[in-house]
């Protein structure tokens, strides 16, 4: 979709805001905006993206970017998501049917329909196939990167930080130092954070995913500067919410924000 058409769609979006339930426009009057169209709020990508935004909060402020997001879910999903990730409730809007994703022609994920399967069963089958890399190119390599480590990515867990990732016992950050060193993403470091996210969602599944119909839907990232879309990334796979997954916010360094 042409960037002018994308801006026209984004400019018309109004959705329920998590903080107060009010019908709220996605675009603000701020000159620089980072707009995130997330998949299901219980999706790996949504949770991991929010983690990176929290980590990069100072950089976003320094660049003068106002951050807004739309995610698939209801208000209970939104409140649970914000409580867990720290993403601000007043910056998250809800799209329970993924209608914005359709308007933007975002990748719906694998949509196989097996005769005799109901909608829920088909959704689960498609998700499982995507997790195996079918209809989701790059997912398996990204999963392996989480276990093997990545010297091109920053260190994710501080040495004195304690991570609780059920069913594992609490893990102190210095464990990863002993396993691989420091100053970069060590083996199992990212996989541990992903396991923590998975435990959070599975332990609160009905809250995070009230309707499984949209669990394969992928999202997008847009940067709007002075009324113009200057950057866009449309997800094509699970764990593919950025063009550079080693550092998902690196696209900000490549932009001229005016």
């Amino acid at each position: 979709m042409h960037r002018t058409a994308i801006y026209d769609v984004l400019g018309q979006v109004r959705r329920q805001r998590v903080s107060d339930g009010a019908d709220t426009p996605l675009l603000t009057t701020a000159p620089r905006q980072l707009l995130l169209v997330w998949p299901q709020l219980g999706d790996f990508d949504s949770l991991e993206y929010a983690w990176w935004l929290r980590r990069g909060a100072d950089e976003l402020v320094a660049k003068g970017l106002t951050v807004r997001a739309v995610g698939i879910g209801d208000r209970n999903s939104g409140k649970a998501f914000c409580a867990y990730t720290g993403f601000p409730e007043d910056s998250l809007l809800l799209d329970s049917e993924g209608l914005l994703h359709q308007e933007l022609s975002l990748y719906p994920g694998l949509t196989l329909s097996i005769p005799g399967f109901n909608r829920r069963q088909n959704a689960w089958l498609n998700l499982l196939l995507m997790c195996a890399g079918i209809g989701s190119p790059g997912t398996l390599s990204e999963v392996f990167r989480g276990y093997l480590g990545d010297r091109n990515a920053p260190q994710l867990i501080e040495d004195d930080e304690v991570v609780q990732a059920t069913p594992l016992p609490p893990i102190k950050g210095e464990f990863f130092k002993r396993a691989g060193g420091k100053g970069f993403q060590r083996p199992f470091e990212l996989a541990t954070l992903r396991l923590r996210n998975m435990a959070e969602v599975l332990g609160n599944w009905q809250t995070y995913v009230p309707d499984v119909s949209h669990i394969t839907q992928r999202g997008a990232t847009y940067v709007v500067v002075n009324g113009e879309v200057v950057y866009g990334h449309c997800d094509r796979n699970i764990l593919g919410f950025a063009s550079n997954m080693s550092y998902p916010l690196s696209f900000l360094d490549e932009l001229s924000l005016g």
Side-chain angles (χ1 to χ4, degrees):
M1 183 180 288
H2 192 274
R3 289 183 177 179
T4 300
I6 291 172
Y7 182 81
D8 290 342
V9 171
L10 296 174
Q12 297 174 24
V13 175
R14 298 186 67 92
R15 294 292 188 274
Q16 184 184 40
R17 184 167 53 199
V18 172
S19 59
D20 56 6
D23 184 58
T24 306
L26 174 61
L27 286 178
T28 72
T29 57
R32 301 175 181 178
Q33 301 177 63
L34 173 59
L35 303 176
L36 311 167
V37 184
W38 279 332
Q40 199 89 44
L41 289 175
D43 192 285
F44 289 131
D45 293 31
S46 304
L47 295 164
E48 193 167 317
Y49 208 146
W51 184 90
W52 278 103
L53 291 172
R54 188 172 184 177
R55 178 188 175 99
D58 290 343
E59 179 183 3
L60 295 170
V61 171
K63 292 183 178 296
L65 284 163
T66 297
V67 180
R68 299 292 286 274
V70 178
I72 299 176
D74 58 20
R75 199 166 172 214
N76 289 331
S77 309
K79 285 191 169 294
F81 180 89
C82 292
Y84 175 68
T85 65
F87 192 80
E89 288 190 1
D90 59 358
S91 297
L92 179 59
L93 309 184
L94 303 165
D95 189 333
S96 61
E97 300 296 325
L99 297 179
L100 175 58
H101 304 68
Q102 296 173 36
E103 291 181 51
L104 291 168
S105 299
L106 302 183
Y107 182 44
L110 204 60
T111 56
L112 297 177
S113 181
I114 306 301
F117 278 30
N118 60 33
R119 186 173 66 169
R120 181 183 181 86
Q121 290 168 327
N122 276 312
W124 273 108
L125 173 64
N126 285 310
L127 179 64
L128 291 174
L129 290 174
M130 289 182 69
C131 288
I134 299 172
S136 187
T139 294
L140 287 181
S141 61
E142 179 57 26
V143 170
F144 291 141
R145 189 180 71 87
Y147 287 101
L148 299 176
D150 182 355
R151 287 188 172 272
N152 294 316
Q155 180 174 323
L156 305 180
I157 301 173
E158 298 299 326
D159 292 346
D160 59 353
E161 183 179 351
V162 177
V163 178
Q164 176 65 65
T166 306
L168 299 177
I171 300 174
K172 195 169 183 180
E174 61 185 13
F175 164 82
F176 300 100
K177 179 181 178 181
R178 293 197 298 269
K182 65 181 304 180
F184 62 94
Q185 180 192 306
R186 287 77 57 87
F188 296 99
E189 191 175 15
L190 179 55
T192 300
L193 295 178
R194 288 172 173 169
L195 179 61
R196 180 175 65 180
N197 290 342
M198 183 171 68
E200 166 68 15
V201 173
L202 292 181
N204 302 279
W205 180 256
Q206 291 299 324
T207 299
Y208 277 102
V209 188
D211 183 356
V212 300
S213 301
H214 312 290
I215 55 176
T216 60
Q217 177 68 58
R218 298 297 89 203
T221 297
Y222 302 106
V223 177
V224 175
V225 177
N226 297 322
E228 179 182 357
V229 177
V230 299
Y231 175 83
H233 171 82
C234 297
D235 311 347
R236 295 299 301 174
N237 56 287
I238 294 173
L239 296 178
F241 58 83
S243 57
N244 177 11
M245 288 297 290
S246 294
Y247 181 48
L249 300 183
S250 62
F251 67 92
L252 295 175
D253 297 328
E254 303 165 5
L255 291 177
S256 175
L257 298 179

